[in-house]
PDB file of all heavy atoms in Angstrom:
ATOM      1  N   ALA A1300      -0.153  -3.455  -3.855  1.00 96.00           N
ATOM      2  CA  ALA A1300      -1.208  -3.028  -2.937  1.00 96.00           C
ATOM      3  C   ALA A1300      -1.524  -1.561  -3.168  1.00 96.00           C
ATOM      4  O   ALA A1300      -0.691  -0.788  -3.651  1.00 96.00           O
ATOM      5  CB  ALA A1300      -0.777  -3.247  -1.487  1.00 96.00           C
ATOM      6  N   PHE A1301      -2.752  -1.194  -2.801  1.00 97.00           N
ATOM      7  CA  PHE A1301      -3.166   0.206  -2.755  1.00 97.00           C
ATOM      8  C   PHE A1301      -3.052   0.700  -1.318  1.00 97.00           C
ATOM      9  O   PHE A1301      -3.364  -0.035  -0.371  1.00 97.00           O
ATOM     10  CB  PHE A1301      -4.610   0.374  -3.229  1.00 97.00           C
ATOM     11  CG  PHE A1301      -4.826   0.133  -4.690  1.00 97.00           C
ATOM     12  CD1 PHE A1301      -5.389  -1.052  -5.132  1.00 97.00           C
ATOM     13  CD2 PHE A1301      -4.465   1.094  -5.626  1.00 97.00           C
ATOM     14  CE1 PHE A1301      -5.594  -1.276  -6.487  1.00 97.00           C
ATOM     15  CE2 PHE A1301      -4.665   0.881  -6.977  1.00 97.00           C
ATOM     16  CZ  PHE A1301      -5.223  -0.311  -7.412  1.00 97.00           C
ATOM     17  N   LEU A1302      -2.632   1.955  -1.150  1.00 97.00           N
ATOM     18  CA  LEU A1302      -2.550   2.582   0.160  1.00 97.00           C
ATOM     19  C   LEU A1302      -3.341   3.882   0.134  1.00 97.00           C
ATOM     20  O   LEU A1302      -3.135   4.714  -0.754  1.00 97.00           O
ATOM     21  CB  LEU A1302      -1.102   2.911   0.544  1.00 97.00           C
ATOM     22  CG  LEU A1302      -0.153   1.793   0.957  1.00 97.00           C
ATOM     23  CD1 LEU A1302       0.204   0.886  -0.217  1.00 97.00           C
ATOM     24  CD2 LEU A1302       1.129   2.378   1.552  1.00 97.00           C
ATOM     25  N   ASP A1303      -4.244   4.051   1.088  1.00 97.00           N
ATOM     26  CA  ASP A1303      -4.939   5.320   1.267  1.00 97.00           C
ATOM     27  C   ASP A1303      -4.080   6.178   2.191  1.00 97.00           C
ATOM     28  O   ASP A1303      -3.956   5.897   3.389  1.00 97.00           O
ATOM     29  CB  ASP A1303      -6.316   5.070   1.888  1.00 97.00           C
ATOM     30  CG  ASP A1303      -7.126   6.352   2.069  1.00 97.00           C
ATOM     31  OD1 ASP A1303      -6.518   7.443   2.072  1.00 97.00           O
ATOM     32  OD2 ASP A1303      -8.346   6.257   2.213  1.00 97.00           O
ATOM     33  N   VAL A1304      -3.447   7.211   1.631  1.00 96.00           N
ATOM     34  CA  VAL A1304      -2.528   8.057   2.413  1.00 96.00           C
ATOM     35  C   VAL A1304      -3.144   9.421   2.734  1.00 96.00           C
ATOM     36  O   VAL A1304      -2.432  10.359   3.087  1.00 96.00           O
ATOM     37  CB  VAL A1304      -1.188   8.234   1.663  1.00 96.00           C
ATOM     38  CG1 VAL A1304      -0.474   6.908   1.523  1.00 96.00           C
ATOM     39  CG2 VAL A1304      -1.397   8.886   0.289  1.00 96.00           C
ATOM     40  N   SER A1305      -4.474   9.513   2.640  1.00 94.00           N
ATOM     41  CA  SER A1305      -5.134  10.805   2.847  1.00 94.00           C
ATOM     42  C   SER A1305      -4.939  11.338   4.263  1.00 94.00           C
ATOM     43  O   SER A1305      -4.965  12.554   4.482  1.00 94.00           O
ATOM     44  CB  SER A1305      -6.630  10.693   2.531  1.00 94.00           C
ATOM     45  OG  SER A1305      -7.238   9.693   3.338  1.00 94.00           O
ATOM     46  N   ALA A1306      -4.727  10.434   5.230  1.00 92.00           N
ATOM     47  CA  ALA A1306      -4.567  10.872   6.621  1.00 92.00           C
ATOM     48  C   ALA A1306      -3.131  10.692   7.117  1.00 92.00           C
ATOM     49  O   ALA A1306      -2.878  10.817   8.316  1.00 92.00           O
ATOM     50  CB  ALA A1306      -5.527  10.097   7.516  1.00 92.00           C
ATOM     51  N   ALA A1307      -2.210  10.388   6.209  1.00 91.00           N
ATOM     52  CA  ALA A1307      -0.837  10.091   6.631  1.00 91.00           C
ATOM     53  C   ALA A1307       0.096  11.287   6.540  1.00 91.00           C
ATOM     54  O   ALA A1307       1.247  11.218   6.958  1.00 91.00           O
ATOM     55  CB  ALA A1307      -0.275   8.941   5.786  1.00 91.00           C
ATOM     56  N   GLY A1308      -0.381  12.402   5.992  1.00 88.00           N
ATOM     57  CA  GLY A1308       0.495  13.527   5.713  1.00 88.00           C
ATOM     58  C   GLY A1308       1.113  14.158   6.940  1.00 88.00           C
ATOM     59  O   GLY A1308       2.286  14.559   6.922  1.00 88.00           O
ATOM     60  N   ARG A1309       0.366  14.243   8.036  1.00 87.00           N
ATOM     61  CA  ARG A1309       0.890  14.934   9.217  1.00 87.00           C
ATOM     62  C   ARG A1309       2.137  14.234   9.745  1.00 87.00           C
ATOM     63  O   ARG A1309       3.103  14.883  10.150  1.00 87.00           O
ATOM     64  CB  ARG A1309      -0.188  14.993  10.295  1.00 87.00           C
ATOM     65  CG  ARG A1309       0.268  15.683  11.582  1.00 87.00           C
ATOM     66  CD  ARG A1309      -0.894  15.893  12.529  1.00 87.00           C
ATOM     67  NE  ARG A1309      -1.908  16.783  11.960  1.00 87.00           N
ATOM     68  CZ  ARG A1309      -3.037  17.116  12.579  1.00 87.00           C
ATOM     69  NH1 ARG A1309      -3.296  16.623  13.783  1.00 87.00           N
ATOM     70  NH2 ARG A1309      -3.907  17.929  12.007  1.00 87.00           N
ATOM     71  N   GLN A1310       2.136  12.898   9.747  1.00 88.00           N
ATOM     72  CA  GLN A1310       3.277  12.165  10.280  1.00 88.00           C
ATOM     73  C   GLN A1310       4.353  11.926   9.233  1.00 88.00           C
ATOM     74  O   GLN A1310       5.543  12.006   9.524  1.00 88.00           O
ATOM     75  CB  GLN A1310       2.823  10.815  10.858  1.00 88.00           C
ATOM     76  CG  GLN A1310       3.986   9.975  11.404  1.00 88.00           C
ATOM     77  CD  GLN A1310       3.519   8.620  11.924  1.00 88.00           C
ATOM     78  OE1 GLN A1310       2.321   8.330  11.927  1.00 88.00           O
ATOM     79  NE2 GLN A1310       4.459   7.809  12.352  1.00 88.00           N
ATOM     80  N   TRP A1311       3.932  11.644   7.992  1.00 91.00           N
ATOM     81  CA  TRP A1311       4.875  11.148   6.993  1.00 91.00           C
ATOM     82  C   TRP A1311       5.232  12.165   5.914  1.00 91.00           C
ATOM     83  O   TRP A1311       6.127  11.906   5.112  1.00 91.00           O
ATOM     84  CB  TRP A1311       4.287   9.894   6.334  1.00 91.00           C
ATOM     85  CG  TRP A1311       4.208   8.747   7.292  1.00 91.00           C
ATOM     86  CD1 TRP A1311       3.154   8.412   8.101  1.00 91.00           C
ATOM     87  CD2 TRP A1311       5.232   7.812   7.579  1.00 91.00           C
ATOM     88  NE1 TRP A1311       3.465   7.315   8.849  1.00 91.00           N
ATOM     89  CE2 TRP A1311       4.736   6.912   8.547  1.00 91.00           C
ATOM     90  CE3 TRP A1311       6.524   7.627   7.089  1.00 91.00           C
ATOM     91  CZ2 TRP A1311       5.478   5.858   9.054  1.00 91.00           C
ATOM     92  CZ3 TRP A1311       7.280   6.566   7.589  1.00 91.00           C
ATOM     93  CH2 TRP A1311       6.757   5.697   8.566  1.00 91.00           C
ATOM     94  N   GLY A1312       4.562  13.282   5.833  1.00 92.00           N
ATOM     95  CA  GLY A1312       4.870  14.235   4.787  1.00 92.00           C
ATOM     96  C   GLY A1312       3.952  14.050   3.596  1.00 92.00           C
ATOM     97  O   GLY A1312       2.959  13.321   3.651  1.00 92.00           O
ATOM     98  N   ASP A1313       4.283  14.694   2.494  1.00 93.00           N
ATOM     99  CA  ASP A1313       3.410  14.641   1.324  1.00 93.00           C
ATOM    100  C   ASP A1313       3.567  13.305   0.592  1.00 93.00           C
ATOM    101  O   ASP A1313       4.427  12.490   0.919  1.00 93.00           O
ATOM    102  CB  ASP A1313       3.675  15.830   0.396  1.00 93.00           C
ATOM    103  CG  ASP A1313       5.052  15.782  -0.239  1.00 93.00           C
ATOM    104  OD1 ASP A1313       5.708  14.721  -0.197  1.00 93.00           O
ATOM    105  OD2 ASP A1313       5.478  16.807  -0.803  1.00 93.00           O
ATOM    106  N   PRO A1314       2.711  13.022  -0.406  1.00 96.00           N
ATOM    107  CA  PRO A1314       2.747  11.731  -1.094  1.00 96.00           C
ATOM    108  C   PRO A1314       4.098  11.406  -1.726  1.00 96.00           C
ATOM    109  O   PRO A1314       4.498  10.233  -1.772  1.00 96.00           O
ATOM    110  CB  PRO A1314       1.642  11.866  -2.158  1.00 96.00           C
ATOM    111  CG  PRO A1314       0.695  12.863  -1.577  1.00 96.00           C
ATOM    112  CD  PRO A1314       1.541  13.839  -0.838  1.00 96.00           C
ATOM    113  N   ALA A1315       4.796  12.423  -2.225  1.00 95.00           N
ATOM    114  CA  ALA A1315       6.112  12.167  -2.816  1.00 95.00           C
ATOM    115  C   ALA A1315       7.080  11.645  -1.775  1.00 95.00           C
ATOM    116  O   ALA A1315       7.865  10.709  -2.035  1.00 95.00           O
ATOM    117  CB  ALA A1315       6.650  13.443  -3.459  1.00 95.00           C
ATOM    118  N   ALA A1316       7.044  12.220  -0.569  1.00 95.00           N
ATOM    119  CA  ALA A1316       7.923  11.770   0.505  1.00 95.00           C
ATOM    120  C   ALA A1316       7.568  10.360   0.949  1.00 95.00           C
ATOM    121  O   ALA A1316       8.447   9.521   1.194  1.00 95.00           O
ATOM    122  CB  ALA A1316       7.839  12.735   1.682  1.00 95.00           C
ATOM    123  N   ILE A1317       6.273  10.078   1.038  1.00 96.00           N
ATOM    124  CA  ILE A1317       5.833   8.730   1.435  1.00 96.00           C
ATOM    125  C   ILE A1317       6.279   7.696   0.402  1.00 96.00           C
ATOM    126  O   ILE A1317       6.831   6.647   0.744  1.00 96.00           O
ATOM    127  CB  ILE A1317       4.301   8.701   1.603  1.00 96.00           C
ATOM    128  CG1 ILE A1317       3.874   9.604   2.763  1.00 96.00           C
ATOM    129  CG2 ILE A1317       3.824   7.271   1.845  1.00 96.00           C
ATOM    130  CD1 ILE A1317       2.374   9.778   2.873  1.00 96.00           C
ATOM    131  N   GLY A1318       6.031   8.004  -0.873  1.00 97.00           N
ATOM    132  CA  GLY A1318       6.414   7.061  -1.928  1.00 97.00           C
ATOM    133  C   GLY A1318       7.906   6.794  -1.938  1.00 97.00           C
ATOM    134  O   GLY A1318       8.344   5.651  -2.111  1.00 97.00           O
ATOM    135  N   GLN A1319       8.706   7.842  -1.753  1.00 96.00           N
ATOM    136  CA  GLN A1319      10.158   7.661  -1.766  1.00 96.00           C
ATOM    137  C   GLN A1319      10.621   6.847  -0.568  1.00 96.00           C
ATOM    138  O   GLN A1319      11.515   6.005  -0.687  1.00 96.00           O
ATOM    139  CB  GLN A1319      10.866   9.019  -1.779  1.00 96.00           C
ATOM    140  CG  GLN A1319      12.368   8.917  -2.040  1.00 96.00           C
ATOM    141  CD  GLN A1319      12.655   8.252  -3.373  1.00 96.00           C
ATOM    142  OE1 GLN A1319      12.103   8.626  -4.400  1.00 96.00           O
ATOM    143  NE2 GLN A1319      13.509   7.234  -3.348  1.00 96.00           N
ATOM    144  N   TRP A1320       9.998   7.080   0.604  1.00 96.00           N
ATOM    145  CA  TRP A1320      10.369   6.288   1.784  1.00 96.00           C
ATOM    146  C   TRP A1320      10.042   4.820   1.580  1.00 96.00           C
ATOM    147  O   TRP A1320      10.837   3.940   1.947  1.00 96.00           O
ATOM    148  CB  TRP A1320       9.636   6.823   3.016  1.00 96.00           C
ATOM    149  CG  TRP A1320      10.010   6.071   4.268  1.00 96.00           C
ATOM    150  CD1 TRP A1320      11.096   6.262   5.058  1.00 96.00           C
ATOM    151  CD2 TRP A1320       9.280   4.972   4.835  1.00 96.00           C
ATOM    152  NE1 TRP A1320      11.091   5.356   6.093  1.00 96.00           N
ATOM    153  CE2 TRP A1320       9.995   4.548   5.981  1.00 96.00           C
ATOM    154  CE3 TRP A1320       8.103   4.311   4.493  1.00 96.00           C
ATOM    155  CZ2 TRP A1320       9.560   3.501   6.790  1.00 96.00           C
ATOM    156  CZ3 TRP A1320       7.672   3.255   5.286  1.00 96.00           C
ATOM    157  CH2 TRP A1320       8.400   2.859   6.422  1.00 96.00           C
ATOM    158  N   ILE A1321       8.896   4.540   1.003  1.00 97.00           N
ATOM    159  CA  ILE A1321       8.529   3.148   0.746  1.00 97.00           C
ATOM    160  C   ILE A1321       9.543   2.504  -0.201  1.00 97.00           C
ATOM    161  O   ILE A1321      10.034   1.388   0.048  1.00 97.00           O
ATOM    162  CB  ILE A1321       7.104   3.060   0.164  1.00 97.00           C
ATOM    163  CG1 ILE A1321       6.073   3.394   1.247  1.00 97.00           C
ATOM    164  CG2 ILE A1321       6.834   1.670  -0.415  1.00 97.00           C
ATOM    165  CD1 ILE A1321       4.657   3.517   0.722  1.00 97.00           C
ATOM    166  N   ARG A1322       9.888   3.188  -1.275  1.00 97.00           N
ATOM    167  CA  ARG A1322      10.832   2.627  -2.238  1.00 97.00           C
ATOM    168  C   ARG A1322      12.193   2.377  -1.589  1.00 97.00           C
ATOM    169  O   ARG A1322      12.813   1.326  -1.785  1.00 97.00           O
ATOM    170  CB  ARG A1322      10.977   3.557  -3.440  1.00 97.00           C
ATOM    171  CG  ARG A1322       9.703   3.671  -4.274  1.00 97.00           C
ATOM    172  CD  ARG A1322       9.877   4.604  -5.455  1.00 97.00           C
ATOM    173  NE  ARG A1322      10.909   4.104  -6.340  1.00 97.00           N
ATOM    174  CZ  ARG A1322      11.931   4.815  -6.814  1.00 97.00           C
ATOM    175  NH1 ARG A1322      12.049   6.090  -6.487  1.00 97.00           N
ATOM    176  NH2 ARG A1322      12.800   4.280  -7.617  1.00 97.00           N
ATOM    177  N   ASP A1323      12.676   3.342  -0.815  1.00 96.00           N
ATOM    178  CA  ASP A1323      13.974   3.192  -0.161  1.00 96.00           C
ATOM    179  C   ASP A1323      13.961   2.067   0.864  1.00 96.00           C
ATOM    180  O   ASP A1323      14.923   1.284   0.958  1.00 96.00           O
ATOM    181  CB  ASP A1323      14.372   4.501   0.533  1.00 96.00           C
ATOM    182  CG  ASP A1323      14.680   5.621  -0.441  1.00 96.00           C
ATOM    183  OD1 ASP A1323      14.896   5.318  -1.637  1.00 96.00           O
ATOM    184  OD2 ASP A1323      14.693   6.795  -0.020  1.00 96.00           O
ATOM    185  N   THR A1324      12.870   1.954   1.620  1.00 95.00           N
ATOM    186  CA  THR A1324      12.801   0.951   2.673  1.00 95.00           C
ATOM    187  C   THR A1324      12.705  -0.458   2.090  1.00 95.00           C
ATOM    188  O   THR A1324      13.353  -1.393   2.584  1.00 95.00           O
ATOM    189  CB  THR A1324      11.602   1.231   3.603  1.00 95.00           C
ATOM    190  OG1 THR A1324      11.701   2.568   4.099  1.00 95.00           O
ATOM    191  CG2 THR A1324      11.582   0.268   4.777  1.00 95.00           C
ATOM    192  N   VAL A1325      11.892  -0.627   1.059  1.00 95.00           N
ATOM    193  CA  VAL A1325      11.804  -1.936   0.401  1.00 95.00           C
ATOM    194  C   VAL A1325      13.170  -2.342  -0.162  1.00 95.00           C
ATOM    195  O   VAL A1325      13.609  -3.491  -0.014  1.00 95.00           O
ATOM    196  CB  VAL A1325      10.730  -1.915  -0.701  1.00 95.00           C
ATOM    197  CG1 VAL A1325      10.813  -3.176  -1.559  1.00 95.00           C
ATOM    198  CG2 VAL A1325       9.334  -1.785  -0.099  1.00 95.00           C
ATOM    199  N   ALA A1326      13.852  -1.402  -0.787  1.00 95.00           N
ATOM    200  CA  ALA A1326      15.170  -1.712  -1.357  1.00 95.00           C
ATOM    201  C   ALA A1326      16.184  -2.050  -0.273  1.00 95.00           C
ATOM    202  O   ALA A1326      16.959  -3.013  -0.398  1.00 95.00           O
ATOM    203  CB  ALA A1326      15.663  -0.531  -2.196  1.00 95.00           C
ATOM    204  N   ASP A1327      16.188  -1.290   0.816  1.00 93.00           N
ATOM    205  CA  ASP A1327      17.162  -1.511   1.882  1.00 93.00           C
ATOM    206  C   ASP A1327      16.902  -2.807   2.643  1.00 93.00           C
ATOM    207  O   ASP A1327      17.839  -3.557   2.940  1.00 93.00           O
ATOM    208  CB  ASP A1327      17.143  -0.337   2.867  1.00 93.00           C
ATOM    209  CG  ASP A1327      17.708   0.938   2.271  1.00 93.00           C
ATOM    210  OD1 ASP A1327      18.370   0.846   1.218  1.00 93.00           O
ATOM    211  OD2 ASP A1327      17.468   2.016   2.843  1.00 93.00           O
ATOM    212  N   GLU A1328      15.624  -3.062   2.984  1.00 92.00           N
ATOM    213  CA  GLU A1328      15.315  -4.198   3.847  1.00 92.00           C
ATOM    214  C   GLU A1328      15.111  -5.502   3.082  1.00 92.00           C
ATOM    215  O   GLU A1328      15.439  -6.577   3.599  1.00 92.00           O
ATOM    216  CB  GLU A1328      14.067  -3.893   4.678  1.00 92.00           C
ATOM    217  CG  GLU A1328      14.258  -2.740   5.661  1.00 92.00           C
ATOM    218  CD  GLU A1328      13.054  -2.544   6.555  1.00 92.00           C
ATOM    219  OE1 GLU A1328      12.074  -3.311   6.421  1.00 92.00           O
ATOM    220  OE2 GLU A1328      13.091  -1.620   7.382  1.00 92.00           O
ATOM    221  N   GLN A1329      14.566  -5.422   1.869  1.00 93.00           N
ATOM    222  CA  GLN A1329      14.250  -6.652   1.133  1.00 93.00           C
ATOM    223  C   GLN A1329      15.124  -6.860  -0.099  1.00 93.00           C
ATOM    224  O   GLN A1329      15.044  -7.892  -0.755  1.00 93.00           O
ATOM    225  CB  GLN A1329      12.772  -6.649   0.728  1.00 93.00           C
ATOM    226  CG  GLN A1329      11.820  -6.562   1.912  1.00 93.00           C
ATOM    227  CD  GLN A1329      12.053  -7.675   2.925  1.00 93.00           C
ATOM    228  OE1 GLN A1329      12.245  -8.826   2.548  1.00 93.00           O
ATOM    229  NE2 GLN A1329      12.044  -7.328   4.211  1.00 93.00           N
ATOM    230  N   ARG A1330      15.916  -5.863  -0.462  1.00 94.00           N
ATOM    231  CA  ARG A1330      16.874  -5.957  -1.577  1.00 94.00           C
ATOM    232  C   ARG A1330      16.181  -6.199  -2.925  1.00 94.00           C
ATOM    233  O   ARG A1330      16.719  -6.852  -3.812  1.00 94.00           O
ATOM    234  CB  ARG A1330      17.917  -7.041  -1.315  1.00 94.00           C
ATOM    235  CG  ARG A1330      18.803  -6.744  -0.108  1.00 94.00           C
ATOM    236  CD  ARG A1330      19.780  -7.865   0.143  1.00 94.00           C
ATOM    237  NE  ARG A1330      19.084  -9.080   0.558  1.00 94.00           N
ATOM    238  CZ  ARG A1330      19.508 -10.305   0.282  1.00 94.00           C
ATOM    239  NH1 ARG A1330      20.601 -10.488  -0.447  1.00 94.00           N
ATOM    240  NH2 ARG A1330      18.825 -11.351   0.708  1.00 94.00           N
ATOM    241  N   ILE A1331      14.948  -5.684  -3.051  1.00 96.00           N
ATOM    242  CA  ILE A1331      14.252  -5.693  -4.328  1.00 96.00           C
ATOM    243  C   ILE A1331      13.737  -4.285  -4.579  1.00 96.00           C
ATOM    244  O   ILE A1331      13.723  -3.452  -3.667  1.00 96.00           O
ATOM    245  CB  ILE A1331      13.093  -6.712  -4.375  1.00 96.00           C
ATOM    246  CG1 ILE A1331      12.044  -6.376  -3.311  1.00 96.00           C
ATOM    247  CG2 ILE A1331      13.607  -8.131  -4.193  1.00 96.00           C
ATOM    248  CD1 ILE A1331      10.812  -7.270  -3.367  1.00 96.00           C
ATOM    249  N   THR A1332      13.295  -4.005  -5.802  1.00 97.00           N
ATOM    250  CA  THR A1332      12.807  -2.662  -6.125  1.00 97.00           C
ATOM    251  C   THR A1332      11.303  -2.685  -6.347  1.00 97.00           C
ATOM    252  O   THR A1332      10.706  -3.731  -6.624  1.00 97.00           O
ATOM    253  CB  THR A1332      13.495  -2.103  -7.379  1.00 97.00           C
ATOM    254  OG1 THR A1332      13.149  -2.910  -8.512  1.00 97.00           O
ATOM    255  CG2 THR A1332      15.012  -2.091  -7.204  1.00 97.00           C
ATOM    256  N   CYS A1333      10.705  -1.504  -6.225  1.00 98.00           N
ATOM    257  CA  CYS A1333       9.273  -1.376  -6.487  1.00 98.00           C
ATOM    258  C   CYS A1333       9.018  -0.058  -7.199  1.00 98.00           C
ATOM    259  O   CYS A1333       9.847   0.855  -7.171  1.00 98.00           O
ATOM    260  CB  CYS A1333       8.464  -1.444  -5.195  1.00 98.00           C
ATOM    261  SG  CYS A1333       8.793  -0.114  -4.014  1.00 98.00           S
ATOM    262  N   SER A1334       7.870   0.022  -7.841  1.00 98.00           N
ATOM    263  CA  SER A1334       7.442   1.245  -8.516  1.00 98.00           C
ATOM    264  C   SER A1334       6.189   1.765  -7.825  1.00 98.00           C
ATOM    265  O   SER A1334       5.339   0.983  -7.393  1.00 98.00           O
ATOM    266  CB  SER A1334       7.171   0.980  -9.997  1.00 98.00           C
ATOM    267  OG  SER A1334       8.359   0.562 -10.644  1.00 98.00           O
ATOM    268  N   VAL A1335       6.086   3.083  -7.734  1.00 98.00           N
ATOM    269  CA  VAL A1335       4.984   3.713  -7.014  1.00 98.00           C
ATOM    270  C   VAL A1335       4.236   4.656  -7.944  1.00 98.00           C
ATOM    271  O   VAL A1335       4.845   5.473  -8.645  1.00 98.00           O
ATOM    272  CB  VAL A1335       5.507   4.500  -5.797  1.00 98.00           C
ATOM    273  CG1 VAL A1335       4.362   5.240  -5.096  1.00 98.00           C
ATOM    274  CG2 VAL A1335       6.212   3.572  -4.817  1.00 98.00           C
ATOM    275  N   GLY A1336       2.918   4.514  -7.941  1.00 97.00           N
ATOM    276  CA  GLY A1336       2.059   5.453  -8.643  1.00 97.00           C
ATOM    277  C   GLY A1336       1.121   6.110  -7.659  1.00 97.00           C
ATOM    278  O   GLY A1336       0.672   5.461  -6.708  1.00 97.00           O
ATOM    279  N   GLY A1337       0.841   7.378  -7.859  1.00 97.00           N
ATOM    280  CA  GLY A1337      -0.063   8.084  -6.963  1.00 97.00           C
ATOM    281  C   GLY A1337      -1.054   8.925  -7.738  1.00 97.00           C
ATOM    282  O   GLY A1337      -0.728   9.462  -8.802  1.00 97.00           O
ATOM    283  N   ALA A1338      -2.277   9.022  -7.214  1.00 97.00           N
ATOM    284  CA  ALA A1338      -3.333   9.778  -7.899  1.00 97.00           C
ATOM    285  C   ALA A1338      -4.489   9.975  -6.932  1.00 97.00           C
ATOM    286  O   ALA A1338      -4.493   9.422  -5.828  1.00 97.00           O
ATOM    287  CB  ALA A1338      -3.801   9.020  -9.149  1.00 97.00           C
ATOM    288  N   PRO A1339      -5.499  10.733  -7.341  1.00 96.00           N
ATOM    289  CA  PRO A1339      -6.692  10.872  -6.493  1.00 96.00           C
ATOM    290  C   PRO A1339      -7.559   9.617  -6.481  1.00 96.00           C
ATOM    291  O   PRO A1339      -8.462   9.514  -5.643  1.00 96.00           O
ATOM    292  CB  PRO A1339      -7.446  12.049  -7.134  1.00 96.00           C
ATOM    293  CG  PRO A1339      -6.433  12.757  -7.972  1.00 96.00           C
ATOM    294  CD  PRO A1339      -5.508  11.699  -8.456  1.00 96.00           C
ATOM    295  N   THR A1340      -7.347   8.672  -7.415  1.00 96.00           N
ATOM    296  CA  THR A1340      -8.179   7.469  -7.499  1.00 96.00           C
ATOM    297  C   THR A1340      -7.302   6.232  -7.673  1.00 96.00           C
ATOM    298  O   THR A1340      -6.150   6.308  -8.121  1.00 96.00           O
ATOM    299  CB  THR A1340      -9.146   7.541  -8.693  1.00 96.00           C
ATOM    300  OG1 THR A1340      -8.384   7.527  -9.913  1.00 96.00           O
ATOM    301  CG2 THR A1340      -9.995   8.804  -8.649  1.00 96.00           C
ATOM    302  N   LYS A1341      -7.892   5.077  -7.357  1.00 96.00           N
ATOM    303  CA  LYS A1341      -7.165   3.820  -7.483  1.00 96.00           C
ATOM    304  C   LYS A1341      -6.799   3.518  -8.932  1.00 96.00           C
ATOM    305  O   LYS A1341      -5.677   3.094  -9.232  1.00 96.00           O
ATOM    306  CB  LYS A1341      -8.010   2.670  -6.915  1.00 96.00           C
ATOM    307  CG  LYS A1341      -8.100   2.657  -5.409  1.00 96.00           C
ATOM    308  CD  LYS A1341      -9.141   1.660  -4.905  1.00 96.00           C
ATOM    309  CE  LYS A1341      -8.831   0.232  -5.284  1.00 96.00           C
ATOM    310  NZ  LYS A1341      -9.810  -0.703  -4.656  1.00 96.00           N
ATOM    311  N   ALA A1342      -7.742   3.721  -9.844  1.00 95.00           N
ATOM    312  CA  ALA A1342      -7.511   3.360 -11.242  1.00 95.00           C
ATOM    313  C   ALA A1342      -6.346   4.144 -11.832  1.00 95.00           C
ATOM    314  O   ALA A1342      -5.477   3.576 -12.516  1.00 95.00           O
ATOM    315  CB  ALA A1342      -8.771   3.590 -12.063  1.00 95.00           C
TER     316      ALA A1342
END
C-alpha cells in the first residue's frame, strides 16, 4: 500500500520514524517482515 504521511509528522515524527514503527509493528504483531520506501512521489 501507499501511505500519504504529509500530515502525520506532528503525531508520529519524521518519515524515518514512521517507517521504522510500521516495520517493527508488523514484525511484532504479525510475525512477518516488510520493506518500506519513501519519496516525494508514489513512483
Side-chain angles (χ1 to χ4, degrees):
F1301 291 103
L1302 286 69
D1303 182 340
V1304 296
S1305 58
R1309 179 172 297 179
Q1310 178 182 357
W1311 292 91
D1313 67 15
I1317 295 172
Q1319 190 59 50
W1320 182 83
I1321 289 172
R1322 294 180 61 230
D1323 292 343
T1324 305
V1325 169
D1327 290 345
E1328 295 185 1
Q1329 300 304 317
R1330 296 178 293 148
I1331 61 175
T1332 64
C1333 63
S1334 297
V1335 176
T1340 66
K1341 287 170 62 175

